[in-house]
Amino acid sequence: WSMPKVSVVDKTNNIWSIESVDDKKVYVGTDKGLYLADVEALTFTLLLEPQQDLQEISYKSVYTVESDRDGNIWFGTKFNGAMFWSPKSTDFFEISNLTSTPESQKLSSNIVWSLHQHKLGELWVGTENGLNKVDLSTGQNQQFMKSDEVLPTYTQSHIRQIISVSDHEFWLLTGDGLRTFDTRDNTIGFFGEEGSETADLFKAYSW
């Protein structure tokens, strides 16, 4: 056995997320926008920087990337919500928490850490403050686990990652440990009995 060879593709960006395109290419979410990396040629190409109504924004971080079976891309940003981009048609739109956004369509927070397209036409969005279920056909949004605290980072409202473990259950990595979420009745579950060693272990901050 020998140590695998490591090659540096990019030295200048903070890397937040990676999503596979095929065997040779991956989408890379960075602090400067969305890149396409070719793992054979070792190239790193900027695809786009998040914008708002065609206006340049100060924070270009792409925290999470999720692609669907049609090759469309959802990505989560810092302060500008979730954005959709279709490389084939160049369609581009956002789901956010702007003042102009109808209440029924607002995200619980514009800082988006995680995305999961659970079913066709249904996007789950994990944010700095709460979990959101977006109906992509109507734009209507349901909010869950939102906190009234000013800084919810170390609470269960901070949804760092959404992991689907069945057709109706998620595991959520939160600011207050691991949680379960049942999509049938939108209930939150815990691991282990309160005060047990198991419960204390899963209550630790999860990345």
Side-chain angles (χ1 to χ4, degrees):
W1 182 87
S2 59
M3 182 70 71
K5 182 180 178 181
V6 177
S7 299
V8 178
V9 179
D10 178 78
K11 299 179 180 180
T12 61
N13 295 288
N14 291 326
I15 307 300
W16 288 106
S17 57
I18 294 176
E19 172 78 2
S20 174
V21 180
D22 53 38
D23 293 340
K24 299 179 181 179
K25 297 178 181 179
V26 294
Y27 291 121
V28 184
T30 78
D31 61 326
K32 298 177 183 176
L34 182 67
Y35 283 75
L36 181 67
D38 187 313
V39 297
E40 286 194 343
L42 296 183
T43 57
F44 206 64
T45 306
L46 178 65
L47 293 180
L48 60 84
E49 297 175 341
Q51 293 182 327
Q52 192 175 82
D53 297 329
L54 301 181
Q55 299 295 315
E56 185 174 359
I57 57 179
S58 299
Y59 295 95
K60 298 177 173 61
S61 292
V62 173
Y63 283 152
T64 182
V65 184
E66 176 89 0
S67 59
D68 63 24
R69 59 191 178 190
D70 296 320
N72 301 313
I73 305 169
W74 283 98
F75 55 96
T77 70
K78 182 177 183 178
F79 301 138
N80 290 279
M83 296 185 172
F84 172 90
W85 178 53
S86 174
K88 296 178 181 178
S89 66
T90 68
D91 286 344
F92 192 92
F93 65 86
E94 66 184 36
I95 302 172
S96 60
N97 189 354
L98 299 177
T99 304
S100 58
T101 306
E103 287 298 324
S104 62
Q105 298 180 8
K106 283 187 176 182
L107 288 180
S108 56
S109 169
N110 276 331
I111 303 176
V112 175
W113 285 105
S114 52
L115 295 165
H116 177 65
Q117 193 161 354
H118 189 52
K119 298 176 182 177
L120 188 64
E122 179 182 294
L123 181 72
W124 290 83
V125 183
T127 75
E128 183 82 359
N129 188 11
L131 179 67
N132 302 260
K133 177 184 177 182
V134 181
D135 186 324
L136 297 177
S137 62
T138 65
Q140 300 300 298
N141 178 47
Q142 292 178 268
Q143 300 180 4
F144 309 99
M145 302 173 68
K146 186 176 180 180
S147 171
D148 293 329
E149 295 185 22
V150 178
L151 296 173
T153 303
Y154 297 105
T155 73
Q156 67 177 10
S157 298
H158 179 106
I159 313 297
R160 193 67 175 79
Q161 191 172 352
I162 304 169
I163 304 169
S164 178
V165 295
S166 74
D167 61 356
H168 63 267
E169 184 180 7
F170 298 151
W171 284 13
L172 305 176
L173 276 64
T174 80
D176 191 39
L178 193 62
R179 298 286 189 272
T180 64
F181 187 86
D182 193 319
T183 61
R184 294 171 298 184
D185 55 10
N186 303 319
T187 54
I188 305 167
F190 300 81
F191 288 84
E193 296 182 4
E194 184 67 28
S196 68
E197 185 176 345
T198 300
D200 291 341
L201 173 64
F202 284 112
K203 195 175 181 180
Y205 187 83
S206 301
W207 284 99

